[in-house]
Amino acid sequence: MSQDSPKRALITGITGQDGSYLAELLLDKGYEVFGVVRRASTERFERLETVRDRIQLIHADLLDQSSLTRAFELSKPHEVYNLGAQSFVPTSWTEPTLTAQFTGLGVTRMLEALRQVTPSARFYQASSSEMFGKVLETPQREDTPFYPRSPYGVAKVYGHFITVNYRESYDLFACSGILFNHESPRRGIEFVTRKITRTVAAIKLGLADELVLGNLDARRDWGHAKDYVRAMWMMLQQDEPDDYVIATGRTHTVGDCCRVAFERVGLNFEDYVRTDPKWIRPAEVDLLIGDATKAKEKLGWVPEVTFEQLIEGMVDADLADLSSK
């Protein structure tokens, strides 16, 4: 690659929360950005509105090997970020085999395409704290054993270890980021933090009168997606490929999230929140908290957005959005 030609990056899942923030980050760094989108997808491109004219979209599917090979041939990437997956945990219970195909075997198809077309490209795999599941130690580190508690978590474990195997077997520069929960105003409405902030905004505007949730005591390590996509990029700039836990190291309950969100609009969450057993997972994950010491020491990565800033920003964005409708 000459000094004048920009780096090229290929992103699966570019229409999602992480993919859209990553596309913006890479464009700001001068990359040429390609994104994989499914031709049959009903996914809209609203998260990409600000950069839609600066990225190139390629139709391909994590279920179809030949389409992925073609995507690599067209983009000739220097860096590949595999963020595409069926990533909603409850859906993984209703569609477990589809989740395995997308979230597990999809990683193998990506690695095969990379190995055959651009073996010198650097590869990032989006691993997940859900792999720890029924945690065997707290906090969770890179060497903490996995004990997934959902079909999604199981599929992510497969994706994680197939990445390790391709790295060690084919000498690929392949990294996995074991990312703990990360949210933003672009988070899907089906995820609990966004469900909370969206409903709080609706209640404040008189469009709803209650918020129904499952386990208010479930604890998570929540950060901002912008901080976490920065870590993805940093992993691929290192001399050697490795796997990293990315987390804030602080934990909060779903109830904490409710409290901060309602306080942002001057309301008491206890007046509006109701629990319903139907929203509790078949196998609940009670406590996930990550130790990102390795990322801090080797990458120089630290999160910049606090939990309170994250939730308050999400409430503000949902208020603005609902007020404009």
Side-chain angles (χ1 to χ4, degrees):
M1 181 176 63
S2 74
Q3 288 270 278
D4 298 328
S5 59
K7 275 188 177 180
R8 293 182 299 277
L10 179 66
I11 304 171
T12 68
I14 195 169
T15 59
Q17 168 188 258
D18 292 7
S20 62
Y21 281 122
L22 179 62
E24 291 172 3
L25 176 77
L26 295 176
L27 287 168
D28 286 346
K29 293 183 179 296
Y31 281 65
E32 192 175 348
V33 176
F34 297 83
V36 169
V37 292
R38 299 178 67 205
R39 189 176 295 276
S41 177
T42 56
E43 176 79 66
R44 297 192 300 271
F45 300 124
E46 67 235 14
R47 294 186 181 99
L48 296 172
E49 277 177 10
T50 60
V51 297
R52 180 67 182 84
D53 59 345
R54 298 169 60 200
I55 59 178
Q56 300 177 58
L57 298 180
I58 300 172
H59 288 290
D61 196 313
L62 287 172
L63 302 184
D64 182 67
Q65 185 69 60
S66 62
S67 70
L68 295 176
T69 299
R70 177 175 168 273
F72 276 79
E73 292 169 345
L74 288 171
S75 59
K76 300 181 176 63
H78 302 101
E79 295 176 5
V80 179
Y81 296 85
N82 185 41
L83 311 184
Q86 190 303 99
S87 59
F88 187 46
V89 173
T91 298
S92 78
W93 287 105
T94 56
E95 300 179 16
T97 54
L98 185 67
T99 299
Q101 284 286 344
F102 271 117
T103 309
L105 289 177
V107 186
T108 311
R109 296 186 189 103
M110 286 291 291
L111 287 163
E112 268 298 293
L114 181 145
R115 185 176 73 85
Q116 293 174 17
V117 181
T118 56
S120 63
R122 297 187 168 200
F123 182 84
Y124 172 84
Q125 165 59 17
S127 288
S128 168
S129 60
E130 290 285 335
M131 301 189 304
F132 295 120
K134 186 177 180 180
V135 298
L136 299 179
E137 68 173 351
T138 300
Q140 293 87 54
R141 305 173 179 84
E142 290 79 7
D143 56 0
T144 299
F146 299 136
Y147 195 145
R149 297 278 278 171
S150 68
Y152 170 74
V154 172
K156 279 294 186 182
V157 170
Y158 174 91
H160 179 84
F161 277 123
I162 200 68
T163 301
V164 171
N165 273 262
Y166 268 67
R167 175 172 73 215
E168 296 176 352
S169 301
Y170 297 117
D171 197 27
L172 300 179
F173 194 108
C175 299
S176 283
I178 306 173
L179 271 55
F180 280 65
N181 292 65
H182 47 289
E183 323 294 313
S184 76
R186 299 181 190 176
R187 188 59 145 152
I189 199 74
E190 68 274 18
F191 290 88
V192 67
T193 49
R194 185 74 193 289
K195 178 181 178 181
I196 290 169
T197 63
R198 190 77 171 177
T199 307
V200 166
I203 290 171
K204 180 63 176 178
L205 296 171
L207 303 173
D209 52 20
E210 69 174 1
L211 170 60
V212 183
L213 296 167
N215 182 7
L216 295 183
D217 297 320
R219 304 185 72 89
R220 295 290 183 275
D221 183 329
W222 277 301
H224 197 296
K226 271 191 174 181
D227 282 339
Y228 287 46
V229 300
R230 182 164 47 86
M232 299 175 188
W233 176 79
M234 294 171 87
M235 289 179 210
L236 297 197
Q237 313 314 309
Q238 302 306 302
D239 292 335
E240 298 293 334
D242 207 345
D243 305 324
Y244 298 88
V245 163
I246 302 298
T248 69
R250 296 182 62 204
T251 183
H252 298 87
T253 66
V254 173
D256 291 335
C257 187
C258 293
R259 176 183 51 76
V260 173
F262 275 99
E263 283 179 357
R264 185 63 171 176
V265 298
L267 298 174
N268 179 7
F269 85 93
E270 292 174 341
D271 295 335
Y272 299 93
V273 175
R274 179 170 65 82
T275 58
D276 187 329
K278 82 172 185 179
W279 294 111
I280 295 177
R281 296 182 188 182
E284 182 58 88
V285 174
D286 293 315
L287 176 59
L288 290 171
I289 178 170
D291 180 353
T293 299
K294 181 178 174 182
K296 182 179 180 180
E297 293 178 350
K298 289 197 171 186
L299 305 178
W301 178 86
V302 289
E304 296 174 354
V305 182
T306 67
F307 172 73
E308 290 75 18
Q309 289 169 335
L310 166 68
I311 301 303
E312 290 170 357
M314 291 173 68
V315 171
D316 292 349
D318 277 322
L319 273 173
D321 184 54
L322 289 175
S323 298
S324 68
K325 294 189 185 303

